[in-house]
Amino acid sequence: MDMPTKKAKLSLKEKYQHMTRGLDWNPTYQRFEDIFPFARYEGLKIHNWDNWEDPFRMTMDAYWKYQAEKERKLYAIIDAFTQNNGHLKVTDARYLNTVKLFLTGVTPLEYMAHRGFAHVGRQIPGGGARVACLMQSVDEVRHAQTQIHAISNYNKHYNGFHEFRHMHDRVWYLSVPKSFFDDAFSAGPFEFLLAISFSFEYVLTNLLFVPFVSGAAYNGDMNTMAYGFSAQSDEARHMTLGLEVIKFILEQDPDNLPIIQAWVDKWTWRGYRVLTLVAMMMDYMLPKRTMSWKEAWEIYFEENGGALFKDLARYGIKVPKCVETIALEKDHLSHQAWNTLYNYGAAAAFHTWSPTAPEMDWLSSKYPDSFDRLYRPRLEFQAEQEAKGNRFYNKTLPMLCQVCQIPMMFTEPGDPTKICYREADYKGDKYHFCSDHCKAIFQREPEKYSQAWLPVHQIYQGNCFPEGTDPTQEGFDPLAAVLQYYKIDRDNLDFNGSEDQKNFAAWNGQANSN
């Protein structure tokens, strides 16, 4: 009688191999170029897709169990926050403006990342890379859904959380993050992978989902803390995917090095420019602060990123030249960004204000070499004018950088008293840039960036008014028409006396009386 034999359990590595290898095949009756038209689009040389290795060796069954456990914990926190009127526990109604900016500027990017990885997963020939892209695509749509669900609680009580998807495609300052993803989405599959899994995940979300989300928790917003840290645990795999993309391509052929180096240079700078909004949120929009933008950058990029580039140096990758410029800007970035949004606050979907005296003292302690000398006098003057009822709103429109689409507000590297301005000619037109690095990106692909949809240009051309608007009628107010097109319904331009401030005070008064 034959004794039944127990099959040996597969190791994690063997199981991963079974789940991610042998899933594809070599075409016979269709050409490879027709099935994977983008595989050779960027000029990269890939000789052996089986060399792709995922350090996490994540399989689908493990993935669903892992994510389900995270979902249970996340929604338990969200439900508790909602049932206990957690919106009353935040430090100040000013804090709500950071959530508005997050919802309109970041959440739609998560959905774009989902679409992008689904597309790239179809275009990459290798089975292992395709599975990794599939899992990241599912991660990204989950991030978008959990963020929308968590933030929807604020929409019940406060203004400005409606039409966030509509605003993302139209509002002038939101063209900064949108243009980043439009740039990546319209690139080839490998550049998209590097742009998102390296630049967006390693450079951008590290500084958004760790120091900023920690600040949200410090200000009593457990909802943002919950979905932020839940997403960040996925980002560890996403960052690994980005590094694996770089290493895999560089190991395949030495001719790939100059292509990858150019992408690393470009997307390090592009990711940093998007972080301008995060720098402003950390230093100026959190009533209670955990760390400054400068400290966060030094920890999460200069230290962690420095280790990353040391690792990539053995493949021939050099530290991007833009890092030198960034080091000179870290003392100034958040202050210049806040001043710009303060000036143009009449056309924003959130409030801006003058920081209080203790808040300015905090900024002075964090930026001892720049704040008191360059920025405090301006902020104190603005606060004085606010107190007199002379709050300043700039009703004109700023010049935008053709690449990063941020107003031309940045200063020359090493000279914070002079605006940095660069220009280039292409096919008879003149284009403007905020830095040498944005100009270099443009000159490498002028046919792409010359087509950029710049909000200021579109407004002046009359393309950002509601249908049927007649700009020639007497008393026409272009700003009011643009806000209507944006679907921004501002109850009060000033934060003081705004509906958010009144509602927050009223809800808290009712809660305290009970």
Side-chain angles (χ1 to χ4, degrees):
M1 179 174 163
D2 293 335
M3 296 292 293
T5 57
K6 190 175 182 180
K7 293 182 180 179
K9 187 176 180 180
L10 295 176
S11 67
L12 180 61
K13 184 174 182 179
E14 290 170 330
K15 189 175 182 180
Y16 173 74
Q17 288 289 332
H18 279 292
M19 295 288 286
T20 62
R21 298 297 186 269
L23 301 178
D24 50 358
W25 56 87
N26 294 321
T28 55
Y29 61 91
Q30 293 288 340
R31 295 191 311 155
F32 177 89
E33 293 80 6
D34 293 335
I35 298 174
F36 299 106
F38 294 107
R40 295 169 185 167
Y41 168 74
E42 296 153 308
L44 295 171
K45 298 176 182 178
I46 308 296
H47 303 295
N48 185 2
W49 277 102
D50 285 337
N51 286 349
W52 177 283
E53 285 290 340
D54 181 357
F56 284 90
R57 297 193 174 94
M58 182 75 77
T59 56
M60 288 309 296
D61 60 339
Y63 175 80
W64 295 124
K65 292 176 184 176
Y66 173 64
Q67 295 297 75
E69 181 60 27
K70 286 172 57 179
E71 293 286 277
R72 281 193 291 270
K73 294 176 180 177
L74 170 64
Y75 281 95
I77 296 173
I78 291 176
D79 290 343
F81 185 86
T82 302
Q83 292 170 15
N84 289 281
N85 287 322
H87 69 96
L88 302 179
K89 307 298 191 297
V90 299
T91 49
D92 189 308
R94 291 182 302 167
Y95 168 78
L96 299 171
N97 293 281
T98 65
V99 187
K100 295 175 187 178
L101 187 51
F102 189 105
L103 179 65
T104 53
V106 177
T107 299
L109 302 185
E110 305 276 19
Y111 188 76
M112 283 295 290
H114 150 69
R115 291 182 57 207
F117 278 100
H119 171 72
V120 170
R122 164 61 184 86
Q123 299 300 335
I124 286 185
R130 196 177 303 150
V131 170
C133 287
L134 167 66
M135 291 183 184
Q136 180 152 350
S137 179
V138 177
D139 280 342
E140 302 294 0
V141 75
R142 171 183 172 268
H143 296 173
Q145 291 170 340
T146 54
Q147 289 166 20
I148 293 168
H149 178 70
I151 295 173
S152 67
N153 178 59
Y154 288 115
N155 189 46
K156 301 173 184 177
H157 308 286
Y158 306 104
N159 294 338
F161 292 94
H162 67 296
E163 299 289 356
F164 65 92
R165 192 67 186 83
H166 174 91
M167 292 181 190
H168 179 77
D169 289 340
R170 294 164 177 80
V171 176
W172 61 277
Y173 57 88
L174 297 178
S175 72
V176 176
K178 183 179 185 298
S179 70
F180 177 97
F181 256 83
D182 286 349
D183 190 349
F185 203 77
S186 57
F190 290 102
E191 185 178 352
F192 176 88
L193 279 173
L194 188 141
I196 306 308
S197 289
F198 166 72
S199 177
F200 185 71
E201 306 290 5
Y202 201 96
V203 178
L204 204 154
T205 59
N206 250 2
L207 283 140
L208 179 65
F209 284 136
V210 181
F212 171 71
V213 167
S214 298
Y218 196 53
N219 280 271
D221 185 1
M222 303 312 290
N223 256 8
T224 296
M225 179 278 296
Y227 70 67
F229 287 152
S230 180
Q232 182 61 20
S233 60
D234 293 332
E235 310 300 359
R237 283 184 290 106
H238 301 173
M239 287 184 279
T240 304
L241 173 61
L243 298 183
E244 190 62 32
V245 168
I246 297 173
K247 293 178 181 179
F248 170 75
I249 295 174
L250 292 174
E251 289 170 352
Q252 287 293 303
D253 198 289
D255 290 346
N256 295 336
L257 177 59
I259 300 174
I260 296 299
Q261 181 69 62
W263 289 347
V264 169
D265 293 348
K266 168 186 173 180
W267 289 105
T268 300
W269 180 254
R270 290 235 59 192
Y272 163 72
R273 271 295 186 245
V274 176
L275 282 169
T276 300
L277 297 175
V278 180
M280 179 185 74
M281 291 161 73
M282 289 184 63
D283 279 349
Y284 283 86
M285 299 181 74
L286 295 177
K288 291 177 67 176
R289 299 158 175 82
T290 52
M291 66 170 62
S292 67
W293 157 254
K294 180 181 176 181
E295 291 170 322
W297 180 259
E298 289 172 346
I299 293 171
Y300 292 98
F301 185 85
E302 290 184 354
E303 294 181 18
N304 295 353
L308 165 67
F309 284 114
K310 286 180 182 177
D311 184 34
L312 294 176
R314 59 194 174 101
Y315 295 95
I317 292 293
K318 298 178 181 177
V319 177
K321 292 181 180 179
C322 65
V323 171
E324 298 175 8
T325 303
I326 296 170
L328 296 172
E329 284 192 357
K330 65 187 179 184
D331 261 305
H332 310 281
L333 182 69
S334 65
H335 315 304
Q336 294 173 2
W338 181 253
N339 183 66
T340 300
L341 266 295
Y342 181 89
N343 281 340
Y344 294 101
F350 59 90
H351 289 103
T352 53
W353 53 85
S354 293
T356 64
E359 288 169 345
M360 283 194 253
D361 290 341
W362 183 88
L363 289 166
S364 177
S365 69
K366 297 299 181 180
Y367 296 93
D369 298 327
S370 62
F371 183 76
D372 284 344
R373 179 169 59 94
L374 297 166
Y375 304 108
R376 183 190 281 269
R378 178 189 300 166
L379 292 170
E380 288 178 341
F381 175 76
Q382 290 172 347
E384 282 178 25
Q385 295 304 306
E386 272 190 52
K388 295 176 182 177
N390 298 326
R391 167 69 157 93
F392 174 71
Y393 289 102
N394 194 329
K395 299 296 180 70
T396 62
L397 299 177
M399 180 185 291
L400 302 182
C401 174
Q402 187 73 24
V403 173
C404 71
Q405 303 199 16
I406 300 178
M408 305 279 281
M409 64 183 187
F410 302 104
T411 51
E412 288 284 355
D415 185 359
T417 65
K418 184 179 180 182
I419 294 293
C420 184
Y421 173 86
R422 304 290 183 268
E423 63 180 40
D425 294 311
Y426 178 67
K427 290 188 176 181
D429 288 324
K430 193 174 293 294
Y431 297 89
H432 311 101
F433 312 97
C434 69
S435 62
D436 292 317
H437 309 292
C438 281
K439 180 179 177 180
I441 291 170
F442 176 89
Q443 290 180 318
R444 188 168 180 267
E445 299 176 276
E447 65 281 354
K448 181 177 188 178
Y449 296 100
S450 62
Q451 302 178 58
W453 193 94
L454 299 180
V456 169
H457 292 190
Q458 297 300 317
I459 290 171
Y460 276 130
Q461 291 173 28
N463 297 329
C464 294
F465 300 143
E467 189 174 350
T469 299
D470 180 11
T472 64
Q473 66 183 357
E474 187 177 353
F476 175 71
D477 184 348
L479 177 59
V482 170
L483 292 179
Q484 188 180 354
Y485 172 78
Y486 287 165
K487 296 189 178 180
I488 295 177
D489 183 15
R490 292 291 295 275
D491 54 85
N492 190 332
L493 291 181
D494 293 342
F495 171 74
N496 291 325
S498 67
E499 289 299 314
D500 279 354
Q501 188 186 46
K502 288 190 234 177
N503 287 344
F504 186 76
W507 288 120
N508 269 287
Q510 182 180 0
N512 293 336
S513 64
N514 290 337

